[in-house]
Amino acid sequence: MTEVLNNLAFGFSHALTLNNLMYCAIGCTVGTLVGLLPGLGPLATISLLLPLTYSIPTTGALIMLAGIYYGAQYGDSVSAITMKIPHASSIVACIDGYAMTLKGKTGLALFTAGFSSFIGGTVAILVLSFLAPVLGEVAFLFGPADYVAMMLVGFVCVSFVTTGSLLNGLAMCMIGVLLGTIGTDVNSGMARFTMDMPFLTDGVGIVSIALGCFGIAEITKNLDSREERSPFNGKINLIPTWAEFKRIIPSALRGSVVGSFLGILPGGGPTIAQFAAYALDKKVSKYKDEIGTGCIEGVAGQAAADEAAARTSFIPLMSIGIPENAVMALMLAAFIIKGIQPGPNMIASHPELFWGLVASMWIGNVFLLVLNVPLVRYWLSVFKIPYSVLFPSILFFCCIGTYSVNNNLQDVFITAAFGFMGYMFMRLELDAAPLMLGFILGPMLEENFRRAMLLSRGSFGAFVSRPISGTLLGLIAIFVLWQLVAFVLQARRKNGASAPVALEPQE
Protein backbone atom coordinates (compact mmCIF):
# COMPACT_ATOMS: atom_id res chain seq x y z
CA MET A 1 0.00 0.00 0.00
CA THR A 2 2.72 2.45 0.98
CA GLU A 3 4.71 1.58 -2.14
CA VAL A 4 1.73 2.25 -4.41
CA LEU A 5 1.04 5.60 -2.72
CA ASN A 6 4.68 6.57 -3.17
CA ASN A 7 4.53 5.58 -6.82
CA LEU A 8 1.34 7.63 -7.33
CA ALA A 9 2.96 10.63 -5.65
CA PHE A 10 5.91 10.17 -8.00
CA GLY A 11 3.50 10.02 -10.96
CA PHE A 12 1.63 13.17 -9.89
CA SER A 13 4.89 15.03 -9.63
CA HIS A 14 5.34 14.43 -13.37
CA ALA A 15 1.69 14.74 -14.43
CA LEU A 16 1.12 18.05 -12.61
CA THR A 17 3.72 19.96 -14.59
CA LEU A 18 2.27 22.83 -16.61
CA ASN A 19 3.00 21.24 -20.00
CA ASN A 20 1.52 17.85 -19.09
CA LEU A 21 -1.58 19.50 -17.60
CA MET A 22 -2.02 21.39 -20.86
CA TYR A 23 -1.68 18.22 -22.97
CA CYS A 24 -4.15 16.40 -20.71
CA ALA A 25 -6.69 19.22 -21.03
CA ILE A 26 -6.25 19.31 -24.82
CA GLY A 27 -6.74 15.55 -25.07
CA CYS A 28 -9.90 15.53 -22.91
CA THR A 29 -11.42 18.49 -24.78
CA VAL A 30 -10.64 17.13 -28.25
CA GLY A 31 -11.87 13.66 -27.23
CA THR A 32 -15.18 15.04 -25.95
CA LEU A 33 -15.76 17.11 -29.09
CA VAL A 34 -14.88 14.14 -31.31
CA GLY A 35 -17.27 11.94 -29.37
CA LEU A 36 -20.09 14.41 -30.01
CA LEU A 37 -19.78 14.08 -33.79
CA PRO A 38 -21.67 11.08 -35.23
CA GLY A 39 -19.39 8.44 -36.69
CA LEU A 40 -16.11 9.99 -35.58
CA GLY A 41 -14.25 8.49 -32.66
CA PRO A 42 -10.91 8.16 -30.90
CA LEU A 43 -9.54 5.76 -33.50
CA ALA A 44 -9.77 8.24 -36.38
CA THR A 45 -8.61 11.15 -34.23
CA ILE A 46 -5.59 9.40 -32.75
CA SER A 47 -4.55 8.12 -36.17
CA LEU A 48 -4.69 11.69 -37.53
CA LEU A 49 -2.77 13.16 -34.59
CA LEU A 50 -0.19 10.38 -34.35
CA PRO A 51 2.38 12.25 -36.48
CA LEU A 52 2.25 15.15 -33.98
CA THR A 53 3.83 12.93 -31.33
CA TYR A 54 7.20 13.39 -33.05
CA SER A 55 7.31 17.03 -31.95
CA ILE A 56 5.76 16.60 -28.46
CA PRO A 57 7.65 15.31 -25.40
CA THR A 58 7.08 11.61 -24.73
CA THR A 59 5.01 11.84 -21.55
CA GLY A 60 2.95 14.76 -22.86
CA ALA A 61 2.21 13.04 -26.18
CA LEU A 62 1.00 9.83 -24.55
CA ILE A 63 -1.04 11.74 -21.96
CA MET A 64 -2.75 13.70 -24.77
CA LEU A 65 -3.57 10.58 -26.81
CA ALA A 66 -4.90 8.79 -23.73
CA GLY A 67 -7.05 11.83 -22.92
CA ILE A 68 -8.54 11.74 -26.41
CA TYR A 69 -9.43 8.08 -25.92
CA TYR A 70 -11.23 8.25 -22.60
CA GLY A 71 -12.56 11.75 -23.31
CA ALA A 72 -14.34 10.41 -26.39
CA GLN A 73 -16.01 7.76 -24.25
CA TYR A 74 -18.06 10.47 -22.51
CA GLY A 75 -18.64 12.46 -25.69
CA ASP A 76 -20.05 9.32 -27.29
CA SER A 77 -22.80 9.16 -24.69
CA VAL A 78 -23.94 12.73 -25.41
CA SER A 79 -24.91 12.03 -29.01
CA ALA A 80 -26.45 8.68 -27.99
CA ILE A 81 -28.59 10.21 -25.23
CA THR A 82 -29.64 13.36 -27.06
CA MET A 83 -30.11 12.11 -30.63
CA LYS A 84 -29.97 8.29 -30.37
CA ILE A 85 -26.88 8.30 -32.56
CA PRO A 86 -24.37 5.97 -30.92
CA HIS A 87 -20.77 5.03 -31.37
CA ALA A 88 -19.62 1.47 -30.69
CA SER A 89 -19.06 2.26 -27.01
CA SER A 90 -22.41 3.99 -26.45
CA ILE A 91 -24.93 1.65 -28.05
CA VAL A 92 -26.57 0.74 -24.74
CA ALA A 93 -26.85 4.43 -23.80
CA CYS A 94 -29.47 4.74 -26.54
CA ILE A 95 -31.90 2.48 -24.69
CA ASP A 96 -32.58 4.32 -21.43
CA GLY A 97 -30.69 7.53 -22.21
CA TYR A 98 -32.80 8.43 -25.23
CA ALA A 99 -35.94 7.28 -23.41
CA MET A 100 -35.11 9.80 -20.67
CA THR A 101 -34.68 12.47 -23.36
CA LEU A 102 -38.17 11.76 -24.65
CA LYS A 103 -39.43 12.19 -21.08
CA GLY A 104 -37.78 15.60 -20.82
CA LYS A 105 -34.97 14.36 -18.55
CA THR A 106 -32.06 14.94 -20.90
CA GLY A 107 -30.09 17.03 -18.41
CA LEU A 108 -30.48 14.37 -15.73
CA ALA A 109 -29.38 11.65 -18.17
CA LEU A 110 -26.26 13.56 -19.21
CA PHE A 111 -25.37 14.41 -15.62
CA THR A 112 -25.80 10.73 -14.70
CA ALA A 113 -23.54 9.69 -17.55
CA GLY A 114 -20.88 12.24 -16.59
CA PHE A 115 -20.96 11.49 -12.86
CA SER A 116 -21.00 7.71 -13.43
CA SER A 117 -18.10 8.02 -15.86
CA PHE A 118 -16.15 9.81 -13.12
CA ILE A 119 -16.88 6.96 -10.67
CA GLY A 120 -15.97 4.33 -13.27
CA GLY A 121 -12.75 6.10 -14.17
CA THR A 122 -11.75 6.50 -10.52
CA VAL A 123 -12.33 2.82 -9.70
CA ALA A 124 -10.44 1.75 -12.82
CA ILE A 125 -7.49 4.00 -11.95
CA LEU A 126 -7.30 2.39 -8.50
CA VAL A 127 -7.31 -1.03 -10.17
CA LEU A 128 -4.67 0.15 -12.60
CA SER A 129 -2.49 1.49 -9.77
CA PHE A 130 -2.67 -1.46 -7.42
CA LEU A 131 -3.07 -4.43 -9.73
CA ALA A 132 -1.52 -3.54 -13.11
CA PRO A 133 1.65 -5.62 -12.63
CA VAL A 134 -0.42 -8.65 -11.55
CA LEU A 135 -3.58 -8.31 -13.63
CA GLY A 136 -1.62 -7.96 -16.84
CA GLU A 137 -0.80 -11.65 -16.52
CA VAL A 138 -4.51 -12.59 -16.32
CA ALA A 139 -4.76 -12.38 -20.10
CA PHE A 140 -2.23 -15.23 -20.37
CA LEU A 141 -4.59 -17.52 -18.43
CA PHE A 142 -7.32 -17.24 -21.08
CA GLY A 143 -7.11 -19.67 -23.99
CA PRO A 144 -9.39 -19.89 -27.05
CA ALA A 145 -11.82 -22.23 -25.25
CA ASP A 146 -12.11 -19.75 -22.38
CA TYR A 147 -12.87 -16.90 -24.76
CA VAL A 148 -15.57 -19.02 -26.42
CA ALA A 149 -17.22 -19.52 -23.03
CA MET A 150 -16.94 -15.80 -22.29
CA MET A 151 -18.56 -14.93 -25.63
CA LEU A 152 -21.40 -17.35 -24.87
CA VAL A 153 -21.93 -15.55 -21.58
CA GLY A 154 -22.32 -12.41 -23.68
CA PHE A 155 -25.01 -14.06 -25.79
CA VAL A 156 -26.87 -14.96 -22.62
CA CYS A 157 -27.10 -11.19 -21.99
CA VAL A 158 -29.57 -10.96 -24.89
CA SER A 159 -32.44 -11.64 -22.49
CA PHE A 160 -31.46 -8.52 -20.53
CA VAL A 161 -30.49 -6.17 -23.36
CA THR A 162 -33.63 -6.59 -25.46
CA THR A 163 -36.61 -4.40 -24.61
CA GLY A 164 -39.05 -6.65 -26.46
CA SER A 165 -39.79 -10.36 -26.33
CA LEU A 166 -36.93 -12.80 -25.79
CA LEU A 167 -37.69 -14.61 -29.06
CA ASN A 168 -37.45 -11.39 -31.06
CA GLY A 169 -34.24 -10.51 -29.24
CA LEU A 170 -32.66 -13.85 -30.09
CA ALA A 171 -33.73 -13.50 -33.72
CA MET A 172 -32.16 -10.04 -33.95
CA CYS A 173 -29.02 -11.37 -32.29
CA MET A 174 -28.74 -14.12 -34.90
CA ILE A 175 -29.12 -11.52 -37.66
CA GLY A 176 -26.19 -9.68 -36.13
CA VAL A 177 -24.13 -12.88 -36.05
CA LEU A 178 -24.86 -13.47 -39.75
CA LEU A 179 -23.87 -9.90 -40.61
CA GLY A 180 -20.61 -10.49 -38.76
CA THR A 181 -19.72 -13.37 -41.09
CA ILE A 182 -19.63 -11.09 -44.15
CA GLY A 183 -16.09 -10.50 -45.37
CA THR A 184 -12.85 -12.45 -45.59
CA ASP A 185 -12.55 -15.62 -43.54
CA VAL A 186 -9.72 -15.20 -41.04
CA ASN A 187 -8.48 -18.79 -41.35
CA SER A 188 -8.92 -19.63 -45.03
CA GLY A 189 -8.73 -16.15 -46.58
CA MET A 190 -11.84 -16.86 -48.66
CA ALA A 191 -14.47 -14.17 -49.22
CA ARG A 192 -17.82 -15.04 -47.64
CA PHE A 193 -21.25 -13.62 -48.50
CA THR A 194 -19.75 -10.67 -50.37
CA MET A 195 -21.90 -11.22 -53.51
CA ASP A 196 -18.81 -10.43 -55.61
CA MET A 197 -18.72 -6.88 -54.25
CA PRO A 198 -15.07 -5.95 -53.52
CA PHE A 199 -15.96 -3.36 -50.87
CA LEU A 200 -17.51 -6.11 -48.71
CA THR A 201 -14.31 -8.15 -48.48
CA ASP A 202 -13.39 -6.28 -45.30
CA GLY A 203 -16.84 -6.89 -43.86
CA VAL A 204 -19.51 -4.47 -42.75
CA GLY A 205 -18.27 -1.75 -40.41
CA ILE A 206 -19.78 -1.38 -36.96
CA VAL A 207 -20.03 2.38 -37.52
CA SER A 208 -22.30 1.82 -40.54
CA ILE A 209 -24.61 -0.49 -38.60
CA ALA A 210 -24.71 1.70 -35.48
CA LEU A 211 -25.40 4.94 -37.34
CA GLY A 212 -27.88 3.27 -39.69
CA CYS A 213 -29.92 1.16 -37.27
CA PHE A 214 -30.02 3.82 -34.56
CA GLY A 215 -29.26 7.30 -35.92
CA ILE A 216 -30.76 7.38 -39.42
CA ALA A 217 -33.60 5.08 -38.39
CA GLU A 218 -34.54 7.42 -35.52
CA ILE A 219 -34.40 10.46 -37.82
CA THR A 220 -36.65 8.70 -40.33
CA LYS A 221 -39.09 7.75 -37.58
CA ASN A 222 -39.25 11.33 -36.34
CA LEU A 223 -39.84 12.67 -39.86
CA ASP A 224 -42.51 10.03 -40.41
CA SER A 225 -44.46 11.42 -37.45
CA ARG A 226 -44.90 14.70 -39.41
CA GLU A 227 -44.48 16.74 -36.26
CA GLU A 228 -42.22 19.75 -35.78
CA ARG A 229 -40.27 18.60 -32.77
CA SER A 230 -37.10 19.16 -30.84
CA PRO A 231 -35.94 16.68 -28.20
CA PHE A 232 -35.40 19.47 -25.67
CA ASN A 233 -38.35 21.54 -24.62
CA GLY A 234 -38.98 23.32 -21.37
CA LYS A 235 -36.71 23.66 -18.35
CA ILE A 236 -33.54 21.57 -18.13
CA ASN A 237 -33.26 19.87 -14.75
CA LEU A 238 -29.60 19.02 -14.30
CA ILE A 239 -28.86 18.17 -10.66
CA PRO A 240 -30.55 14.98 -9.43
CA THR A 241 -32.31 14.72 -6.11
CA TRP A 242 -30.76 12.82 -3.20
CA ALA A 243 -33.06 9.88 -3.90
CA GLU A 244 -31.81 9.80 -7.50
CA PHE A 245 -28.20 10.06 -6.29
CA LYS A 246 -28.75 6.97 -4.17
CA ARG A 247 -29.91 5.12 -7.27
CA ILE A 248 -26.95 6.26 -9.37
CA ILE A 249 -24.10 5.25 -7.05
CA PRO A 250 -24.78 1.47 -6.62
CA SER A 251 -25.32 1.05 -10.35
CA ALA A 252 -22.18 3.05 -11.17
CA LEU A 253 -20.10 0.96 -8.75
CA ARG A 254 -21.37 -2.29 -10.26
CA GLY A 255 -20.60 -1.02 -13.74
CA SER A 256 -17.14 0.08 -12.60
CA VAL A 257 -16.28 -3.42 -11.39
CA VAL A 258 -17.59 -5.06 -14.57
CA GLY A 259 -15.81 -2.57 -16.83
CA SER A 260 -12.54 -2.80 -14.92
CA PHE A 261 -12.48 -6.58 -15.34
CA LEU A 262 -13.56 -6.73 -18.99
CA GLY A 263 -11.15 -3.93 -19.91
CA ILE A 264 -8.23 -6.17 -18.97
CA LEU A 265 -9.21 -9.03 -21.27
CA PRO A 266 -8.30 -8.94 -24.97
CA GLY A 267 -11.57 -8.88 -26.90
CA GLY A 268 -13.35 -7.18 -24.02
CA GLY A 269 -13.15 -3.42 -23.73
CA PRO A 270 -15.84 -0.72 -23.52
CA THR A 271 -18.10 -2.15 -26.23
CA ILE A 272 -18.75 -5.44 -24.43
CA ALA A 273 -18.49 -3.92 -20.93
CA GLN A 274 -21.54 -1.71 -21.52
CA PHE A 275 -23.71 -4.72 -22.45
CA ALA A 276 -22.47 -6.73 -19.46
CA ALA A 277 -23.08 -3.89 -17.00
CA TYR A 278 -26.56 -3.26 -18.40
CA ALA A 279 -27.42 -6.95 -18.14
CA LEU A 280 -26.18 -7.06 -14.54
CA ASP A 281 -28.26 -4.02 -13.58
CA LYS A 282 -31.32 -5.50 -15.21
CA LYS A 283 -30.86 -8.58 -13.04
CA VAL A 284 -29.86 -7.28 -9.60
CA SER A 285 -31.06 -3.65 -9.45
CA LYS A 286 -33.92 -2.76 -7.10
CA TYR A 287 -35.49 -0.94 -10.05
CA LYS A 288 -34.86 -3.64 -12.65
CA ASP A 289 -38.47 -3.54 -13.87
CA GLU A 290 -38.02 0.11 -14.90
CA ILE A 291 -34.80 -0.44 -16.86
CA GLY A 292 -35.47 -0.12 -20.56
CA THR A 293 -38.15 2.54 -20.15
CA GLY A 294 -35.94 5.52 -19.28
CA CYS A 295 -34.33 4.58 -15.97
CA ILE A 296 -31.30 6.19 -14.29
CA GLU A 297 -29.69 2.79 -13.64
CA GLY A 298 -29.79 2.02 -17.37
CA VAL A 299 -27.54 5.06 -17.97
CA ALA A 300 -25.33 4.94 -14.87
CA GLY A 301 -24.12 1.33 -15.04
CA GLN A 302 -23.17 1.30 -18.71
CA ALA A 303 -21.49 4.74 -18.52
CA ALA A 304 -19.32 3.65 -15.58
CA ALA A 305 -18.43 0.35 -17.28
CA ASP A 306 -17.58 2.15 -20.51
CA GLU A 307 -15.18 4.57 -18.82
CA ALA A 308 -13.65 1.91 -16.54
CA ALA A 309 -12.95 -0.45 -19.43
CA ALA A 310 -11.36 2.39 -21.43
CA ARG A 311 -8.78 2.86 -18.69
CA THR A 312 -8.06 -0.72 -17.67
CA SER A 313 -7.52 -1.59 -21.33
CA PHE A 314 -4.12 0.07 -20.82
CA ILE A 315 -3.14 -2.76 -18.44
CA PRO A 316 -2.40 -5.48 -21.04
CA LEU A 317 -0.75 -2.86 -23.27
CA MET A 318 1.67 -1.49 -20.66
CA SER A 319 2.27 -4.66 -18.63
CA ILE A 320 2.60 -7.33 -21.32
CA GLY A 321 2.79 -5.27 -24.53
CA ILE A 322 -0.40 -6.66 -26.08
CA PRO A 323 -3.00 -4.18 -27.43
CA GLU A 324 -6.55 -5.41 -26.91
CA ASN A 325 -8.26 -3.24 -29.52
CA ALA A 326 -7.54 -0.94 -32.45
CA VAL A 327 -7.13 2.17 -30.29
CA MET A 328 -4.62 0.39 -28.07
CA ALA A 329 -2.77 -0.71 -31.21
CA LEU A 330 -2.37 2.97 -32.13
CA MET A 331 -1.21 3.70 -28.60
CA LEU A 332 1.36 0.93 -29.01
CA ALA A 333 2.51 2.66 -32.20
CA ALA A 334 2.87 5.91 -30.25
CA PHE A 335 5.00 4.15 -27.62
CA ILE A 336 7.22 2.64 -30.32
CA ILE A 337 7.55 6.00 -32.11
CA LYS A 338 8.96 7.36 -28.86
CA GLY A 339 11.39 4.45 -28.60
CA ILE A 340 9.57 2.69 -25.74
CA GLN A 341 8.59 -0.97 -25.87
CA PRO A 342 5.61 -1.69 -23.57
CA GLY A 343 5.94 -4.91 -21.61
CA PRO A 344 6.86 -6.43 -18.26
CA ASN A 345 9.99 -4.26 -17.98
CA MET A 346 8.25 -0.97 -18.73
CA ILE A 347 7.43 -0.11 -15.10
CA ALA A 348 11.04 -0.66 -14.05
CA SER A 349 12.59 0.97 -17.13
CA HIS A 350 10.27 4.00 -17.44
CA PRO A 351 8.58 4.52 -14.06
CA GLU A 352 8.07 8.23 -14.69
CA LEU A 353 6.12 7.45 -17.87
CA PHE A 354 4.01 4.64 -16.43
CA TRP A 355 3.05 6.37 -13.17
CA GLY A 356 2.80 9.76 -14.86
CA LEU A 357 0.28 8.31 -17.33
CA VAL A 358 -1.69 6.66 -14.51
CA ALA A 359 -1.78 9.91 -12.51
CA SER A 360 -2.81 11.88 -15.59
CA MET A 361 -5.82 9.60 -16.02
CA TRP A 362 -7.19 10.75 -12.67
CA ILE A 363 -6.42 14.37 -13.55
CA GLY A 364 -8.20 13.82 -16.86
CA ASN A 365 -11.11 12.32 -14.94
CA VAL A 366 -11.43 15.55 -12.97
CA PHE A 367 -11.06 17.61 -16.17
CA LEU A 368 -13.93 15.67 -17.78
CA LEU A 369 -16.18 16.15 -14.77
CA VAL A 370 -15.44 19.87 -14.53
CA LEU A 371 -15.59 20.32 -18.30
CA ASN A 372 -18.74 18.38 -19.09
CA VAL A 373 -21.14 18.67 -16.18
CA PRO A 374 -21.29 22.52 -16.19
CA LEU A 375 -21.43 22.47 -19.99
CA VAL A 376 -24.44 20.14 -20.16
CA ARG A 377 -26.77 23.12 -20.52
CA TYR A 378 -24.66 24.43 -23.39
CA TRP A 379 -24.57 21.05 -25.11
CA LEU A 380 -28.35 21.02 -24.93
CA SER A 381 -28.74 24.61 -26.10
CA VAL A 382 -26.91 23.67 -29.29
CA PHE A 383 -29.54 21.02 -29.94
CA LYS A 384 -32.45 23.34 -29.18
CA ILE A 385 -32.88 23.83 -32.88
CA PRO A 386 -36.05 23.12 -34.88
CA TYR A 387 -35.92 19.55 -36.05
CA SER A 388 -36.42 20.58 -39.67
CA VAL A 389 -33.06 22.35 -39.44
CA LEU A 390 -31.37 19.85 -37.13
CA PHE A 391 -31.89 16.60 -39.02
CA PRO A 392 -30.05 17.61 -42.23
CA SER A 393 -27.03 18.54 -40.10
CA ILE A 394 -27.21 15.20 -38.29
CA LEU A 395 -27.39 13.32 -41.59
CA PHE A 396 -24.44 15.33 -42.90
CA PHE A 397 -22.26 14.41 -39.91
CA CYS A 398 -23.41 10.79 -40.15
CA CYS A 399 -22.21 10.66 -43.75
CA ILE A 400 -18.94 12.43 -42.93
CA GLY A 401 -18.32 10.14 -39.97
CA THR A 402 -19.02 6.99 -41.95
CA TYR A 403 -16.86 8.11 -44.87
CA SER A 404 -13.95 9.11 -42.63
CA VAL A 405 -13.49 5.58 -41.25
CA ASN A 406 -12.15 4.08 -44.50
CA ASN A 407 -12.41 7.04 -46.91
CA ASN A 408 -14.83 4.89 -48.87
CA LEU A 409 -18.05 6.23 -50.41
CA GLN A 410 -19.54 2.72 -50.42
CA ASP A 411 -19.71 2.85 -46.61
CA VAL A 412 -22.15 5.75 -46.88
CA PHE A 413 -24.48 3.65 -49.04
CA ILE A 414 -24.18 0.73 -46.61
CA THR A 415 -25.12 3.08 -43.75
CA ALA A 416 -28.16 4.26 -45.72
CA ALA A 417 -29.21 0.63 -46.28
CA PHE A 418 -28.96 -0.10 -42.57
CA GLY A 419 -30.90 3.09 -41.90
CA PHE A 420 -33.78 1.66 -43.94
CA MET A 421 -33.44 -1.68 -42.11
CA GLY A 422 -33.43 0.09 -38.75
CA TYR A 423 -36.58 2.00 -39.67
CA MET A 424 -38.30 -1.25 -40.62
CA PHE A 425 -37.18 -2.79 -37.33
CA MET A 426 -38.82 0.11 -35.49
CA ARG A 427 -42.05 -0.27 -37.44
CA LEU A 428 -42.05 -3.98 -36.61
CA GLU A 429 -41.23 -3.20 -32.95
CA LEU A 430 -37.93 -5.07 -33.10
CA ASP A 431 -35.04 -3.90 -30.91
CA ALA A 432 -31.71 -3.27 -32.68
CA ALA A 433 -29.53 -3.57 -29.56
CA PRO A 434 -29.37 -7.43 -29.67
CA LEU A 435 -28.36 -7.16 -33.34
CA MET A 436 -25.35 -5.08 -32.32
CA LEU A 437 -24.49 -7.56 -29.57
CA GLY A 438 -24.55 -10.45 -32.04
CA PHE A 439 -22.52 -8.50 -34.59
CA ILE A 440 -19.81 -7.74 -32.02
CA LEU A 441 -19.61 -11.17 -30.39
CA GLY A 442 -20.26 -13.38 -33.43
CA PRO A 443 -16.91 -12.99 -35.23
CA MET A 444 -14.95 -13.33 -31.97
CA LEU A 445 -16.90 -16.46 -31.06
CA GLU A 446 -16.26 -18.03 -34.45
CA GLU A 447 -12.56 -17.18 -34.49
CA ASN A 448 -11.88 -18.54 -31.01
CA PHE A 449 -14.07 -21.60 -31.52
CA ARG A 450 -12.19 -22.62 -34.65
CA ARG A 451 -8.88 -21.94 -32.94
CA ALA A 452 -9.90 -24.05 -29.94
CA MET A 453 -11.00 -26.92 -32.18
CA LEU A 454 -7.68 -26.82 -34.05
CA LEU A 455 -5.69 -26.91 -30.83
CA SER A 456 -7.79 -29.76 -29.39
CA ARG A 457 -7.79 -31.64 -32.75
CA GLY A 458 -11.56 -31.61 -32.99
CA SER A 459 -12.29 -32.59 -29.38
CA PHE A 460 -15.07 -30.73 -27.57
CA GLY A 461 -13.60 -31.87 -24.27
CA ALA A 462 -11.35 -28.81 -24.23
CA PHE A 463 -14.34 -26.63 -23.38
CA VAL A 464 -15.12 -28.51 -20.15
CA SER A 465 -11.65 -29.66 -19.14
CA ARG A 466 -10.24 -26.14 -18.74
CA PRO A 467 -11.20 -24.60 -15.37
CA ILE A 468 -12.23 -21.17 -16.70
CA SER A 469 -14.32 -22.34 -19.66
CA GLY A 470 -15.80 -25.23 -17.68
CA THR A 471 -16.91 -22.89 -14.89
CA LEU A 472 -18.41 -20.37 -17.30
CA LEU A 473 -20.27 -23.05 -19.26
CA GLY A 474 -21.59 -24.49 -16.00
CA LEU A 475 -22.91 -21.07 -14.99
CA ILE A 476 -24.54 -20.68 -18.41
CA ALA A 477 -26.25 -24.08 -18.05
CA ILE A 478 -27.56 -23.15 -14.58
CA PHE A 479 -28.83 -19.81 -15.85
CA VAL A 480 -30.60 -21.33 -18.88
CA LEU A 481 -32.22 -24.02 -16.70
CA TRP A 482 -33.32 -21.40 -14.20
CA GLN A 483 -34.82 -19.27 -16.99
CA LEU A 484 -36.72 -22.28 -18.36
CA VAL A 485 -38.14 -23.11 -14.93
CA ALA A 486 -39.16 -19.47 -14.42
CA PHE A 487 -40.79 -19.42 -17.87
CA VAL A 488 -42.79 -22.59 -17.15
CA LEU A 489 -43.94 -21.31 -13.75
CA GLN A 490 -44.96 -17.99 -15.24
CA ALA A 491 -46.91 -19.73 -18.01
CA ARG A 492 -48.72 -21.88 -15.44
CA ARG A 493 -49.66 -18.83 -13.38
CA LYS A 494 -51.06 -17.11 -16.46
CA ASN A 495 -53.05 -20.21 -17.42
CA GLY A 496 -54.39 -20.49 -13.90
CA ALA A 497 -55.43 -16.86 -13.85
CA SER A 498 -57.16 -17.09 -17.23
CA ALA A 499 -59.00 -20.36 -16.51
CA PRO A 500 -62.83 -19.92 -16.41
CA VAL A 501 -64.40 -20.02 -12.98
CA ALA A 502 -67.06 -22.73 -12.60
CA LEU A 503 -70.46 -21.30 -11.62
CA GLU A 504 -72.51 -23.12 -9.02
CA PRO A 505 -76.04 -24.03 -10.18
CA GLN A 506 -78.73 -21.85 -8.74
CA GLU A 507 -81.62 -23.49 -6.91
Side-chain angles (χ1 to χ4, degrees):
M1 179 70 176
T2 305
E3 182 182 358
V4 173
L5 292 177
N6 290 334
N7 289 330
L8 285 175
F10 175 70
F12 276 109
S13 68
H14 286 80
L16 288 174
T17 62
L18 184 60
N19 285 339
N20 288 338
L21 283 174
M22 180 186 67
Y23 290 126
C24 184
I26 291 173
C28 292
T29 305
V30 171
T32 303
L33 294 176
V34 165
L36 289 171
L37 299 177
L40 297 179
L43 184 63
T45 308
I46 291 175
S47 63
L48 290 173
L49 297 180
L50 199 59
L52 293 179
T53 58
Y54 286 102
S55 58
I56 298 176
T58 301
T59 304
L62 296 174
I63 285 175
M64 184 184 70
L65 294 179
I68 291 172
Y69 178 41
Y70 54 75
Q73 302 303 117
Y74 175 77
D76 291 353
S77 63
V78 175
S79 59
I81 290 171
T82 56
M83 297 178 290
K84 202 178 181 181
I85 299 179
H87 296 69
S89 60
S90 59
I91 295 168
V92 177
C94 290
I95 302 175
D96 284 86
Y98 189 70
M100 291 180 70
T101 290
L102 297 180
K103 292 180 179 180
K105 298 181 179 179
T106 313
L108 178 59
L110 290 176
F111 178 88
T112 301
F115 184 71
S116 300
S117 296
F118 178 80
I119 294 176
T122 301
V123 171
I125 292 165
L126 292 175
V127 172
L128 188 62
S129 303
F130 284 89
L131 301 178
V134 178
L135 289 181
E137 300 176 3
V138 171
F140 286 123
L141 301 178
F142 275 72
D146 304 320
Y147 281 114
V148 169
M150 191 173 71
M151 297 303 112
L152 291 176
V153 171
F155 280 110
V156 171
C157 294
V158 169
S159 60
F160 303 113
V161 174
T162 182
T163 56
S165 69
L166 178 59
L167 185 60
N168 289 343
L170 290 173
M172 293 293 288
C173 186
M174 289 301 104
I175 293 175
V177 172
L178 293 175
L179 289 173
T181 61
I182 297 175
T184 304
D185 183 15
V186 176
N187 292 323
S188 66
M190 298 293 292
R192 302 185 303 183
F193 311 116
T194 59
M195 296 174 287
D196 295 328
M197 298 181 183
F199 61 88
L200 288 178
T201 54
D202 291 331
V204 180
I206 189 172
V207 173
S208 297
I209 297 180
L211 291 181
C213 288
F214 289 92
I216 295 179
E218 185 65 26
I219 292 170
T220 308
K221 177 187 174 184
N222 294 334
L223 293 176
D224 193 32
S225 65
R226 298 181 181 179
E227 296 179 2
E228 180 67 25
R229 64 181 294 276
S230 176
F232 317 108
N233 295 310
K235 184 180 178 181
I236 298 171
N237 295 318
L238 181 62
I239 304 300
T241 63
W242 175 242
E244 290 169 333
F245 254 122
K246 290 192 293 185
R247 293 177 60 173
I248 292 172
I249 294 174
S251 181
L253 290 175
R254 284 192 295 267
S256 301
V257 174
V258 172
S260 296
F261 173 72
L262 289 178
I264 299 168
L265 302 176
T271 305
I272 295 179
Q274 58 176 323
F275 284 100
Y278 189 81
L280 180 63
D281 266 326
K282 206 166 183 181
K283 194 63 185 175
V284 304
S285 173
K286 290 172 60 178
Y287 305 92
K288 57 186 177 183
D289 294 334
E290 300 178 20
I291 295 178
T293 62
C295 181
I296 290 178
E297 286 80 1
V299 177
Q302 65 83 28
D306 182 28
E307 202 71 30
R311 284 166 170 78
T312 55
S313 60
F314 281 85
I315 290 178
L317 173 66
M318 294 194 293
S319 58
I320 58 179
I322 297 177
E324 68 152 31
N325 53 45
V327 176
M328 289 298 104
L330 285 178
M331 290 297 299
L332 176 62
F335 275 99
I336 294 174
I337 286 173
K338 291 298 184 179
I340 298 170
Q341 180 60 52
N345 297 324
M346 179 181 167
I347 299 178
S349 303
H350 305 278
E352 73 289 345
L353 177 59
F354 178 85
W355 292 109
L357 189 58
V358 171
S360 75
M361 289 183 183
W362 194 84
I363 296 171
N365 220 24
V366 175
F367 270 139
L368 288 174
L369 188 67
V370 173
L371 174 69
N372 290 303
V373 171
L375 291 180
V376 164
R377 299 182 186 276
Y378 297 99
W379 296 138
L380 299 185
S381 64
V382 172
F383 295 112
K384 282 184 175 180
I385 301 172
Y387 205 75
S388 58
V389 178
L390 183 62
F391 86 84
S393 304
I394 298 174
L395 288 176
F396 172 76
F397 282 114
C398 285
C399 294
I400 293 297
T402 305
Y403 178 80
S404 66
V405 175
N406 297 313
N407 294 328
N408 189 351
L409 187 61
Q410 304 292 346
D411 289 342
V412 178
F413 297 128
I414 294 174
T415 304
F418 278 106
F420 174 75
M421 288 178 59
Y423 173 70
M424 296 306 298
F425 290 151
M426 288 183 175
R427 294 298 298 266
L428 296 173
E429 297 184 352
L430 297 173
D431 190 5
L435 182 147
M436 296 301 304
L437 181 63
F439 180 79
I440 293 166
L441 295 182
M444 291 190 289
L445 176 66
E446 179 193 11
E447 181 181 351
N448 286 287
F449 176 77
R450 294 172 70 174
R451 190 176 299 160
M453 295 303 290
L454 285 172
L455 292 175
S456 65
R457 298 186 178 182
S459 173
F460 287 93
F463 296 100
V464 294
S465 60
R466 292 181 58 87
I468 297 177
S469 60
T471 301
L472 291 176
L473 291 176
L475 292 174
I476 292 172
I478 294 172
F479 174 80
V480 172
L481 182 62
W482 177 46
Q483 289 288 87
L484 289 175
V485 171
F487 177 78
V488 171
L489 293 177
Q490 185 179 8
R492 285 184 177 180
R493 284 196 297 268
K494 287 183 178 180
N495 291 334
S498 60
V501 180
L503 299 176
E504 295 182 1
Q506 299 180 355
E507 294 182 1

